[in-house]
Structure formats: C-alpha cells, structure tokens
Amino acid sequence: MSLVNGLPAHILLVHVVVVLVPLTALALVVCALRPGAARRMGVVLPALALVTLVSVPLTTQAGEWLERHVDGNALVRRHAELGDGLLPWVGGLFVLAAAVWWATGRAAASGPAASDGARRPGAPLRVAAAVLSLVVAAGAVVDVYRIGDSGAKAAWHDGFSKTASGGGDDD
C-alpha cells in the first residue's frame, strides 16, 4: 500500500492500530479476569485480536513506503525502529486471546463449578493467563504510545511555530 485518496496509507492505517491495540488489550484483560465476560464475548475476542494482528504489518509496510518518500533523519529512523517492535506484542495479544477463548469454551463444556466451593482444576491456568494477559496488554499499549510519540515528533519537529502567525482572527 502506498496512497489512499492521495494521502500516504500509513497516516490512515496508523489510526486503526492506535485504536485496535488498546481495545484488544482491554478486551483480553477483561476476558482473562472475568470468565463470564469471555463467554459473552465468545469468538469476537480472538477475531478482534486477529484483525489487530493483521493491521500491524500492513501499517508497517505502508510506513516503510512512506519512509522511502520523505527526507530521512534520526527521528524518522527511530520511529521506524520502534514500529518494527510492535508485531511480537500484538502476536502475544492474539495468542493469549485465542487461548482465553479456547479455555473458556472448554470450561463451559466441562460443566458448572464444584458445588462445595472447591477450586476448579483450571484455576492456576486462569491465574497464569490473567497475569500474562496483563503483562502483554501493558507492553503492547506502552509500545503503541512510544511509537506514536516518536512518529509525532518525526512528523512535527519543525512543522509548527509555538507562537501564532498573526494571520487569523483567533483572539
């Protein structure tokens, strides 16, 4: 992908990533912590994570095209380097989302919880999934923030004045 309606595809696709990564991370954490939410969400959780996963390399490829069409500088190179690191985080979101979905479906098929209040055998697995989900979700969201911040700095470092130009009636 290169251009969409005359604009670089990267500046449009990046909005998909900026929305979907935190949304997927939040959905994963909620579903990992609350099995009822995971049951209600069903296959939507891994489907959302898959769309998020696919959007990252598309955005990265569009960014590589854009990088070849702008003046190169250290800020652009830093943004590109950071952008290359997002895919493993989003891959982790997808794997965990699929695992939470699968485990929730399996637990629902095995029947209700023990009536005497005993812990279900899957409790340690649920705790591990919840902890991993929190870690990967936080890592993905922080990485998206860092990438976005570096991209904004690369795009705007010399593109505006801190004082008004005096040409408008904004007083």
Side-chain angles (χ1 to χ4, degrees):
M1 270 193 201
S2 56
L3 297 173
V4 175
N5 289 334
L7 294 172
H10 180 72
I11 62 173
L12 300 172
L13 290 171
V14 74
H15 291 87
V16 174
V17 172
V18 166
V19 169
L20 288 183
V21 170
L23 182 63
T24 302
L26 178 62
L28 172 62
V29 169
V30 168
C31 289
L33 294 174
R34 307 198 39 98
R39 279 190 298 279
R40 283 188 297 281
M41 204 160 179
V43 74
V44 172
L45 176 63
L48 175 64
L50 179 61
V51 171
T52 304
L53 179 63
V54 170
S55 72
V56 170
L58 290 175
T59 304
T60 303
Q61 288 174 349
E64 290 170 355
W65 179 90
L66 181 58
E67 184 180 15
R68 291 189 301 272
H69 291 83
V70 298
D71 293 335
N73 61 45
L75 294 172
V76 171
R77 285 189 297 278
R78 175 74 176 144
H79 175 64
E81 289 169 7
L82 288 172
D84 289 338
L86 183 59
L87 190 57
W89 288 111
V90 177
L93 288 176
F94 173 72
V95 168
L96 286 166
V100 166
W101 169 73
W102 178 80
T104 301
R106 189 162 178 216
S110 70
S115 59
D116 63 357
R119 292 181 66 173
R120 295 181 76 168
L125 182 61
R126 273 191 8 169
V127 170
V131 169
L132 278 173
S133 295
L134 283 166
V135 169
V136 172
V141 170
V142 167
D143 207 28
V144 165
Y145 170 80
R146 292 178 63 225
I147 295 164
D149 183 60
S150 71
K153 286 178 181 171
W156 292 99
H157 73 281
D158 283 333
F160 72 99
S161 173
K162 293 184 182 182
T163 58
S165 65
D169 295 329
D170 295 336
D171 296 328

